[in-house]
Amino acid sequence: MTQTLKTKVLIIGAGTGGYVAGIRCGQLGLDTVLVDGGDGLGGTCLNVGCIPSKAIIHAAGKFETVAKAAGGGTLGITAAAPAIDLKQTVEWKDGIVRKLNAGVAALLKKAKVKVIKGWAKFEDAKTCVVKTEDGEIRITAEHVILATGSEPVELPFLPFGGDVISSTEALSLSEVPKKLVVVGGGYIGLELGIAFRKLGAEVAIVEMAERILPLYDKALTDPVAKWLEKHGVDLHLGARAGGLGNGKLNVTTKDGEPLQLDADKVLVTVGRRPRTQGWGLENMGVAMAGPFVKIDNRCATSMKNVWAVGDLTGEPMLAHKGSAQGEVVAEIIAHSSGKGGHDRVFDPVAIAAVCFTEPEIVSAGLGPNDVAGRDDVIQSVFPFAAIGRALAIEAGEDGGFVRVIASKSDHRILGVQAVGQHVSELSNSFAQMLEMGAVLEDVAGTIHVHPTLGEAFHEASLRALGHAIHI
């Protein structure tokens, strides 16, 4: 028997875009139903992406620290050789995920959002049928927010299964593979490849481009490349992966030569694609922009009162972008319904991106490739090697730096980048300055706490003005 349900707002997808939209809709007094048919509350990010990967990366860093202490000592500290039970580490990671799941569930309940677990399929733009464990529910809504997220891209000659894994399976391995081959040298492959190298795996990376992290400029990626070389990670650049057989991955090198790489596991991280199949998007009549759902600056699709947020809407496919879009849509719906809110647009100056590699990379706003050939900009770099806090935590000797790009005429900051240990924590400061339209003098005139890594941002801005203090 099919139940029927009517609601003001129907949200499809419980990831960072969907559940944040749900909470804000509930806070604004909108009758809201959230359908969760994917990875669970929190979506990819919380369950099989951002959060669990950073937990494993953190554990790998701890293991590496003890291993250094056992291998001749570090900072005057010595220790016995460490061992890792990856199954226990994964259980710890799963505990974090469960705690966050419960937190999201509690927040949705507090906001009076009705959560339905099941897979939705749309019959038309405002009606879907959800298959649950207890039967079917037909839901009709005045407003629909699509937040179905994305999924890993599968290579036809390396289908997922067995020893060919995606990042999802990599985060739940019961033991560290002796030999891991990563196909794809983007941020996901490098984050996990570096983590498993720290845990003791022999790691090889196969990347089609001529260098790792091709979306970032070479100065930012060089310190990461040096770490890989120093730690024996085998890089095959300009190379193409083939099939896997008898524990060997077939590779064609940059020179066209065949090569076989021993592999206990092959981690395929060649990108993610929007999740557009299997839930009736074709029945909704919304316009597309290539593989993505087309939206305007209010996150509205071509169908009246149908909205889309997050990875489904295109690059950058970042959790914090989806969350921000979800809030915007909730405000717009509430405003149009006389429930308060604001008639907003989604128009950020910059969305900062972070690679949790070794060392970490941050980029916000324009980079050097975006301003190449322009003579109306200032570029200023300040190395962490000249920052006391960086040296005190062994973060000043890997070639890290902060770079500021600003307009030469009015000193408006156009972009900020950094590479170095723990620089992810500087990303919000970078984004805030860009969003507020800061000029170099604003950063230079802000007293930065000593000793911190953030002093490098201050010094880079001073240097752009021609009077850095510590270099």
Side-chain angles (χ1 to χ4, degrees):
M1 184 177 176
T2 301
Q3 301 179 53
T4 59
L5 183 65
K6 292 185 178 180
T7 186
K8 181 76 172 182
V9 181
L10 169 64
I11 303 170
I12 305 298
T16 49
Y19 89 73
V20 168
I23 291 170
R24 189 66 187 121
C25 282
Q27 289 174 341
L28 290 164
L30 299 168
D31 183 26
T32 304
V33 173
L34 173 63
V35 177
D36 167 26
D39 300 303
L41 295 179
T44 295
C45 178
L46 192 155
N47 293 278
V48 294
C50 318
I51 301 302
S53 67
K54 302 317 165 282
I56 296 297
I57 288 168
H58 174 71
K62 293 286 189 183
F63 184 87
E64 182 191 36
T65 299
V66 180
K68 281 182 179 178
T74 178
L75 310 179
I77 303 168
T78 56
I84 185 165
D85 182 339
L86 190 60
K87 188 176 180 182
Q88 286 190 32
T89 306
V90 168
E91 287 174 357
W92 165 74
K93 175 265 295 182
D94 289 343
I96 294 170
V97 171
R98 284 193 297 271
K99 183 176 182 179
L100 292 170
N101 277 146
V104 172
L107 290 169
L108 288 165
K109 183 178 180 180
K110 181 180 179 182
K112 296 182 173 56
V113 176
K114 182 177 180 61
V115 177
I116 298 175
K117 186 154 186 65
W119 192 254
K121 185 151 188 180
F122 280 87
E123 297 176 338
D124 58 43
K126 306 290 173 55
T127 307
C128 74
V129 174
V130 182
K131 291 186 177 180
T132 73
E133 292 181 352
D134 301 320
E136 291 186 346
I137 304 175
R138 174 173 274 102
I139 306 173
T140 58
E142 186 177 332
H143 291 267
V144 172
I145 303 175
L146 301 176
T148 55
S150 62
E151 58 196 4
V153 171
E154 185 177 51
L155 295 172
F157 48 86
L158 277 176
F160 294 131
D163 292 330
V164 179
I165 60 176
S166 72
S167 56
T168 298
E169 293 77 37
L171 293 169
S172 294
L173 291 174
S174 59
E175 59 183 21
V176 178
K178 290 184 175 63
K179 294 181 182 293
L180 174 69
V181 178
V182 180
V183 178
Y187 74 96
I188 297 174
L190 282 175
E191 285 182 3
L192 293 177
I194 288 171
F196 278 104
R197 180 69 191 109
K198 289 180 177 181
L199 292 172
E202 293 181 36
V203 177
I205 296 173
V206 179
E207 166 58 44
M208 286 178 58
E210 293 298 319
R211 60 183 183 84
I212 58 170
L213 297 168
L215 295 179
Y216 293 88
D217 66 88
K218 189 173 181 297
L220 284 177
T221 62
D222 274 349
V224 179
K226 288 175 183 175
W227 189 96
L228 296 173
E229 181 181 4
K230 180 180 178 181
H231 291 83
V233 175
D234 196 6
L235 273 181
H236 299 275
L237 301 175
R240 292 177 179 269
L244 176 69
N246 299 319
K248 294 182 182 295
L249 179 70
N250 294 304
V251 174
T252 303
T253 69
K254 175 170 66 173
D255 300 322
E257 298 295 324
L259 177 68
Q260 288 192 322
L261 298 176
D262 292 332
D264 296 310
K265 297 290 181 185
V266 176
L267 171 57
V268 178
T269 57
V270 293
R272 297 183 65 85
R273 63 187 173 202
R275 190 177 282 124
T276 57
Q277 301 298 312
W279 50 271
L281 176 63
E282 64 278 5
N283 299 325
M284 299 187 72
V286 299
M288 303 295 288
F292 302 104
V293 170
K294 186 178 182 179
I295 58 171
D296 63 14
N297 64 357
R298 301 168 76 243
C299 301
T301 71
S302 59
M303 181 65 67
K304 182 176 174 59
N305 291 348
V306 175
W307 316 81
V309 302
D311 290 0
L312 187 66
T313 66
E315 298 289 354
M317 295 166 77
L318 299 171
H320 42 289
K321 181 198 79 171
S323 296
Q325 288 178 320
E327 285 191 71
V328 165
V329 172
E331 293 274 351
I332 292 171
I333 294 173
H335 182 73
S336 68
S337 304
K339 292 278 190 177
H342 299 86
D343 191 14
R344 295 175 56 186
V345 296
F346 181 71
D347 186 25
V349 173
I351 302 174
V354 176
C355 291
F356 290 86
T357 43
E358 187 65 62
E360 295 174 351
I361 297 174
V362 175
S363 182
L366 300 182
N369 294 338
D370 301 311
V371 298
R374 289 176 53 175
D375 59 5
D376 61 338
V377 297
I378 307 166
Q379 294 192 49
S380 170
V381 172
F382 194 88
F384 281 115
I387 296 294
R389 172 67 170 165
L391 295 176
I393 60 172
E394 300 181 283
E397 300 174 357
D398 55 13
F401 60 85
V402 172
R403 177 206 294 136
V404 176
I405 299 175
S407 167
K408 192 177 289 185
S409 60
D410 61 5
H411 294 176
R412 186 79 57 196
I413 297 174
L414 306 174
V416 193
Q417 294 82 41
V419 56
Q421 292 182 46
H422 311 298
V423 295
S424 57
E425 298 302 327
L426 302 180
S427 58
N428 296 316
S429 176
F430 297 169
Q432 181 181 35
M433 286 297 181
L434 286 163
E435 194 66 39
M436 295 181 70
V439 294
L440 292 170
E441 287 83 357
D442 291 324
V443 183
T446 299
I447 299 174
H448 285 64
V449 173
H450 176 77
T452 63
L453 298 180
E455 290 177 278
F457 186 20
H458 184 237
E459 291 278 7
S461 299
L462 287 174
R463 195 175 192 185
L465 292 169
H467 53 85
I469 300 298
H470 290 97
I471 199 168

